[in-house]
Amino acid sequence: MPEQMNVEVAHRLSEREKAAREKHRWEEVIEILEVLLLAAAAIATAWSGYQAAKGDGQQSVLYSDASVDRVQANTAAALGQQRLAADGAMFSAWLEARAANDADLQAMLVRRFSPEYRTAFAAWLDTRPFTNPDAPPGPGDMPQYHNPQMEQAEQLNEQAATLEEAGTEARHTAEEYVRATVLFALVLFLVAVGQRFRLRGVRVATIAIAFGLLAYGLYDLASLPPI
């Protein structure tokens, strides 16, 4: 009898040791998975946070450059309008000089036209404006007329619009990176909470959810353009 009891006790102790080893083994596996999740989530959080901050900075720079272009465009447009107004005033004076048959005054006024307006004026005269009812009303309406300041203003406005669009896109991308950062922070939170549970099922379920969120976040991160 004592020998049988000793064998039974030894068997129970062996089963307990085996169960303890198995429990210790799955805890080690889970801990390794948790460490890997924490490392991956931490790296992804740092990267997405850096990209979000960089996107905000790029947005500010692009919007600032667009504002500068808008100011320069307004200045160029004002100068172009002044130039056209001056040419228009001298053209009106030329018409009066022509009506008065003052050839010297006409020649002087033509010399004072801007180069672009003078070219358009010559083309306008070729249309026989005083006998042709279909002729344009003045040199400023001719296709040969070009106003450098007005063209510069148009180019600057187009450039400003492109910069503003790029700034808006940078802001949108930064917001996407912020969303990814929040997602990775949730992964870190789940792993930290899961470590407090001792029930295998609950802990494994928490890790599985965290892993799913991490995989989705990494996929979302890979689809975003780097800033």
Side-chain angles (χ1 to χ4, degrees):
M1 289 295 294
E3 293 179 358
Q4 185 176 358
M5 290 178 61
N6 291 335
V7 172
E8 186 176 352
V9 170
H11 181 68
R12 290 181 179 178
L13 290 175
S14 177
E15 288 182 348
R16 289 180 181 179
E17 291 177 357
K18 183 179 179 181
R21 285 196 300 271
E22 291 179 354
K23 182 179 180 181
H24 183 67
R25 188 178 299 113
W26 77 260
E27 285 182 346
E28 287 181 345
V29 172
I30 289 180
E31 287 175 357
I32 292 173
L33 292 176
E34 288 172 342
V35 170
L36 293 176
L37 281 172
L38 287 172
I43 295 173
T45 300
W47 170 255
S48 57
Y50 166 73
Q51 290 294 311
K54 193 175 180 181
D56 289 336
Q58 187 176 30
Q59 175 201 351
S60 299
V61 171
L62 291 171
Y63 278 1
S64 177
D65 291 343
S67 298
V68 172
D69 286 343
R70 293 290 187 194
V71 172
Q72 292 178 348
N74 292 335
T75 301
L79 292 174
Q81 291 171 356
Q82 292 174 2
R83 185 171 186 170
L84 180 60
D87 284 330
M90 282 185 286
F91 175 68
S92 297
W94 179 88
L95 290 174
E96 294 176 359
R98 181 183 181 279
N101 292 321
D102 192 339
D104 292 337
L105 181 58
Q106 292 180 61
M108 183 193 69
L109 291 170
V110 170
R111 286 195 300 271
R112 293 190 176 183
F113 287 157
S114 65
E116 297 79 15
Y117 199 86
R118 192 181 305 118
T119 300
F121 176 76
W124 178 73
L125 289 178
D126 291 339
T127 64
R128 301 174 185 264
F130 300 103
T131 58
N132 180 12
D134 296 328
D141 298 305
M142 296 293 295
Q144 289 84 356
Y145 176 69
H146 298 284
N147 190 313
Q149 285 79 19
M150 297 296 290
E151 292 176 353
Q152 181 186 11
E154 184 178 357
Q155 292 175 355
L156 287 170
N157 280 322
E158 292 177 355
Q159 182 174 326
T162 301
L163 290 172
E164 288 172 348
E165 183 179 356
T168 301
E169 184 64 25
R171 181 184 63 185
H172 175 70
T173 304
E175 291 173 351
E176 293 295 320
Y177 275 111
V178 170
R179 187 186 67 177
T181 303
V182 173
L183 195 63
F184 294 132
L186 181 58
V187 172
L188 294 173
F189 172 76
L190 287 175
V191 175
V193 170
Q195 290 176 340
R196 302 185 65 86
F197 293 109
R198 287 293 170 254
L199 294 176
R200 182 186 302 183
V202 176
R203 197 166 177 180
V204 171
T206 304
I207 292 177
I209 295 173
F211 180 80
L213 291 175
L214 178 65
Y216 175 77
L218 291 176
Y219 173 79
D220 193 26
L221 201 65
S223 65
L224 294 175
I227 298 177

